[in-house]
Amino acid sequence: MAKPFINDRGFIKCPCRRCLNNASHQLEDLESHIFRNGFMFGYNKWIHHGEPATANARTTVAGPSGGIHERDEIFDVLDDIISEDADEDEVGGPSSNEQYDDLFAALRSELYPGWTNKSFDELLKLLKLAFPKIDLVESHYEAKKLMTKMGLGYSSIHVCKNDCALFWKENSLKDTCPVCSESRWKLQSGKQSGKNVPHKVLRYSPVGPRLKRLFATSKTVKLMWWHSTGKSKENDVMRHPVDGKSWQEFDKRHPQFAGDVRNV
């Protein structure tokens, strides 16, 4: 049914889940696309492949959640632009659709590869524009300062490139590993001076601030006390490690520590 609607270059719109009738391929490639990617959801009236359209018919596609959405009008504009350029080409084949392919490849590519501090700052700017009444921090640096005040910070400890040792305590000022003599720093090619960059960094959240944070709210503090106040009153019934013989033996050996309900 669709074969008569192949254009003069041998191309036809592809209704696979990836192309969504926005790209055209040769018939044999279209078949492999549908076999590999599956048929697009919501394309029930084949208006691009020979089935007559009603006066108000519009192409719809299904979103990731399964809901049906109307085809964006921008694709119709792009179809017109690309088809005009294709008509001017003297040579057919896949190269005639390079502009289309490059455009959709750009749409699928990440705007900010990876998640950098700069991209986080840009996200904050966007959120402040979208939600002007919400009080947000200005930058990644300000967010880190706020997290540290809340007890959610961490300590950065440099690590040997070969994981031999930590540059910590007695090794904190050394520039080479005390075990394998490997340099602590990356070689900065083409840079005369600047901040040294370590090969590896261990981010450690100290136990003290984490425990203080657990005792900072009324909800979590009850859970932190439960091992002292919620012991089983039945003999030979174990609901928590506190009811076990090992815990009870520890309490006998360290009565001062056991006497504080905050012990964990």
Side-chain angles (χ1 to χ4, degrees), residues 140 144 148 151-156 201-206:
H140 176 264
K144 284 181 64 177
T148 302
L152 296 169
Y154 59 83
S155 300
S156 297
V201 178
L202 169 67
R203 290 171 175 84
Y204 166 68
S205 297

Side-chain angles (χ1 to χ4, degrees), residues 242-257:
V242 72
D243 301 319
K245 292 182 179 180
S246 298
W247 195 302
Q248 293 170 9
E249 181 63 27
F250 181 89
D251 287 351
K252 289 178 182 178
R253 294 186 182 185
H254 307 279
Q256 186 176 356
F257 180 79

Side-chain angles (χ1 to χ4, degrees), residues 71-131:
R71 168 185 161 104
D72 198 320
E73 293 180 358
I74 188 63
F75 290 121
D76 297 325
V77 177
L78 292 174
D79 283 341
D80 294 339
I81 295 173
I82 299 300
S83 61
E84 289 175 4
D85 291 342
D87 292 341
E88 295 175 1
D89 292 338
E90 296 181 359
V91 181
S95 61
S96 299
N97 276 335
E98 283 184 1
Q99 285 181 309
Y100 222 161
D101 294 340
D102 291 345
L103 181 60
F104 281 94
L107 286 173
R108 289 191 292 269
S109 64
E110 292 184 68
L111 183 60
Y112 295 104
W115 192 247
T116 63
N117 294 352
K118 182 179 179 182
S119 62
F120 189 83
D121 292 345
E122 294 298 324
L123 174 63
L124 288 173
K125 290 180 182 177
L126 179 62
L127 291 174
K128 288 177 77 70
L129 288 173
F131 307 101

